[in-house]
Coordinates of all heavy atoms in Angstrom, one line a residue:
M46 N 4.8 -13.4 -2.3 CA 3.8 -13.5 -1.2 C 3.9 -15.0 -0.7 O 3.8 -15.2 0.5 CB 2.4 -13.3 -1.8 CG 2.1 -11.8 -2.0 SD 1.7 -11.1 -0.4 CE 0.0 -11.8 -0.1
A47 N 4.0 -15.9 -1.6 CA 4.0 -17.3 -1.3 C 5.2 -17.6 -0.4 O 5.1 -18.4 0.7 CB 4.0 -18.2 -2.5
L48 N 6.4 -17.0 -0.7 CA 7.6 -17.3 0.1 C 7.4 -16.7 1.5 O 7.7 -17.4 2.5 CB 8.8 -16.6 -0.6 CG 10.1 -16.7 0.2 CD1 10.5 -18.1 0.5 CD2 11.2 -16.0 -0.6
I49 N 6.8 -15.5 1.6 CA 6.6 -14.9 2.9 C 5.7 -15.7 3.7 O 5.9 -15.9 5.0 CB 6.1 -13.5 2.8 CG1 7.2 -12.6 2.1 CG2 5.7 -12.8 4.1 CD1 6.7 -11.2 1.7
K50 N 4.6 -16.2 3.2 CA 3.6 -16.9 3.9 C 4.2 -18.2 4.4 O 3.9 -18.7 5.5 CB 2.4 -17.2 3.0 CG 1.5 -15.9 2.8 CD 0.3 -16.2 2.0 CE -0.5 -15.0 1.8 NZ -1.7 -15.2 0.9
R51 N 5.0 -18.9 3.5 CA 5.7 -20.2 4.0 C 6.6 -19.9 5.2 O 6.6 -20.7 6.2 CB 6.5 -20.7 2.8 CG 5.7 -21.4 1.8 CD 6.6 -22.3 1.0 NE 7.7 -21.7 0.4 CZ 7.7 -21.1 -0.8 NH1 6.6 -21.1 -1.5 NH2 8.8 -20.5 -1.3
E52 N 7.3 -18.8 5.1 CA 8.2 -18.5 6.3 C 7.4 -18.2 7.5 O 7.7 -18.7 8.6 CB 9.1 -17.3 5.9 CG 10.1 -17.6 4.8 CD 11.2 -18.6 5.2 OE1 11.6 -18.5 6.4 OE2 11.6 -19.4 4.4
Q53 N 6.3 -17.5 7.4 CA 5.5 -17.1 8.5 C 4.8 -18.3 9.1 O 4.5 -18.4 10.3 CB 4.5 -16.0 8.1 CG 5.2 -14.7 7.9 CD 4.2 -13.6 7.3 OE1 3.3 -13.9 6.7 NE2 4.5 -12.4 7.6
A54 N 4.4 -19.2 8.2 CA 3.7 -20.4 8.7 C 4.6 -21.3 9.6 O 4.1 -22.0 10.5 CB 3.3 -21.3 7.5
G55 N 5.9 -21.1 9.4 CA 6.9 -21.8 10.3 C 7.2 -21.0 11.6 O 8.2 -21.4 12.3
G56 N 6.4 -20.0 11.9 CA 6.6 -19.2 13.1 C 7.7 -18.2 13.0 O 8.2 -17.7 14.0
K57 N 8.2 -17.8 11.8 CA 9.2 -16.9 11.6 C 8.7 -15.5 11.3 O 7.6 -15.4 10.7 CB 10.2 -17.3 10.5 CG 10.8 -18.7 10.8 CD 11.7 -19.1 9.6 CE 12.3 -20.4 9.8 NZ 13.2 -20.9 8.7
L58 N 9.4 -14.4 11.7 CA 9.1 -13.1 11.3 C 9.9 -12.7 10.0 O 11.1 -13.0 10.0 CB 9.4 -12.1 12.4 CG 8.6 -12.2 13.7 CD1 8.9 -11.1 14.6 CD2 7.1 -12.2 13.4
V59 N 9.3 -12.1 9.1 CA 10.0 -11.8 7.8 C 10.0 -10.3 7.5 O 9.1 -9.6 7.8 CB 9.2 -12.5 6.6 CG1 9.8 -12.3 5.3 CG2 9.0 -14.0 6.9
A60 N 11.1 -9.9 7.0 CA 11.3 -8.5 6.6 C 11.7 -8.4 5.1 O 12.3 -9.3 4.6 CB 12.5 -7.8 7.4
M61 N 11.2 -7.4 4.4 CA 11.6 -7.2 3.0 C 11.5 -5.8 2.6 O 11.0 -5.0 3.4 CB 10.7 -8.0 2.1 CG 9.3 -7.4 1.9 SD 8.5 -8.1 0.4 CE 9.5 -7.3 -0.9
T62 N 12.1 -5.4 1.5 CA 12.1 -4.1 1.0 C 11.4 -4.1 -0.4 O 11.3 -5.1 -1.1 CB 13.5 -3.5 0.8 OG1 14.2 -4.3 -0.2 CG2 14.3 -3.5 2.1
G63 N 10.9 -2.9 -0.8 CA 10.3 -2.8 -2.1 C 10.0 -1.4 -2.4 O 9.9 -0.5 -1.5
D64 N 9.7 -1.1 -3.7 CA 9.4 0.3 -4.1 C 8.3 0.3 -5.2 O 7.8 1.4 -5.5 CB 10.7 1.0 -4.6 CG 11.3 0.2 -5.8 OD1 10.8 -0.8 -6.3 OD2 12.4 0.7 -6.2
G65 N 7.9 -0.8 -5.7 CA 7.0 -0.8 -6.8 C 5.6 -1.2 -6.4 O 5.4 -1.8 -5.3
T66 N 4.6 -0.9 -7.2 CA 3.2 -1.3 -6.9 C 3.2 -2.8 -6.8 O 2.4 -3.3 -6.0 CB 2.3 -0.7 -8.0 OG1 2.4 0.7 -8.0 CG2 0.8 -1.1 -7.8
N67 N 3.9 -3.5 -7.6 CA 3.9 -4.9 -7.6 C 4.5 -5.5 -6.3 O 4.3 -6.7 -6.0 CB 4.6 -5.5 -8.8 CG 6.1 -5.2 -8.8 OD1 6.5 -4.2 -8.2 ND2 6.9 -6.0 -9.5
D68 N 5.2 -4.7 -5.5 CA 5.7 -5.1 -4.2 C 4.8 -4.9 -3.1 O 5.0 -5.4 -2.0 CB 7.0 -4.3 -3.9 CG 8.2 -4.7 -4.9 OD1 8.3 -5.8 -5.2 OD2 9.0 -3.7 -5.2
A69 N 3.7 -4.1 -3.3 CA 2.8 -3.7 -2.3 C 2.2 -4.9 -1.5 O 2.2 -4.9 -0.3 CB 1.7 -2.8 -2.8
P70 N 1.7 -6.0 -2.2 CA 1.1 -7.1 -1.5 C 2.1 -7.8 -0.6 O 1.8 -8.1 0.6 CB 0.7 -8.1 -2.6 CG 0.5 -7.2 -3.8 CD 1.5 -6.1 -3.7
A71 N 3.4 -7.9 -1.0 CA 4.4 -8.6 -0.2 C 4.8 -7.7 0.9 O 5.0 -8.2 2.1 CB 5.6 -9.0 -1.0
L72 N 4.9 -6.4 0.7 CA 5.2 -5.4 1.8 C 4.1 -5.5 2.9 O 4.5 -5.4 4.1 CB 5.3 -4.0 1.2 CG 6.6 -3.7 0.4 CD1 6.5 -2.4 -0.2 CD2 7.8 -3.7 1.3
A73 N 2.9 -5.6 2.5 CA 1.8 -5.6 3.5 C 1.8 -6.9 4.2 O 1.5 -7.0 5.4 CB 0.4 -5.4 2.7
Q74 N 2.2 -8.0 3.6 CA 2.2 -9.3 4.2 C 3.4 -9.5 5.2 O 3.3 -10.2 6.2 CB 2.3 -10.4 3.2 CG 2.3 -11.8 3.7 CD 1.0 -12.2 4.4 OE1 -0.1 -11.8 4.0 NE2 1.1 -13.0 5.5
A75 N 4.6 -8.9 4.8 CA 5.8 -9.0 5.7 C 5.6 -8.4 7.0 O 4.8 -7.4 7.2 CB 7.0 -8.4 5.0
D76 N 6.2 -9.0 8.0 CA 6.1 -8.4 9.4 C 6.8 -7.0 9.5 O 6.4 -6.1 10.2 CB 6.8 -9.4 10.3 CG 6.1 -10.7 10.4 OD1 5.0 -10.8 11.0 OD2 6.6 -11.7 9.8
V77 N 7.9 -6.9 8.7 CA 8.6 -5.6 8.6 C 8.7 -5.3 7.1 O 9.5 -5.9 6.4 CB 10.0 -5.6 9.2 CG1 10.7 -4.3 9.1 CG2 9.9 -6.0 10.7
G78 N 7.9 -4.4 6.6 CA 7.9 -4.0 5.2 C 8.5 -2.6 5.0 O 7.8 -1.7 5.5

């Protein structure tokens, strides 16, 4: 989550993949999850 927010704070769009419940917060935060 912290990495995604740092990238987005710099005006960048972020994409990521995930399959676990622990990935859900980051998937929701990413521009393309």
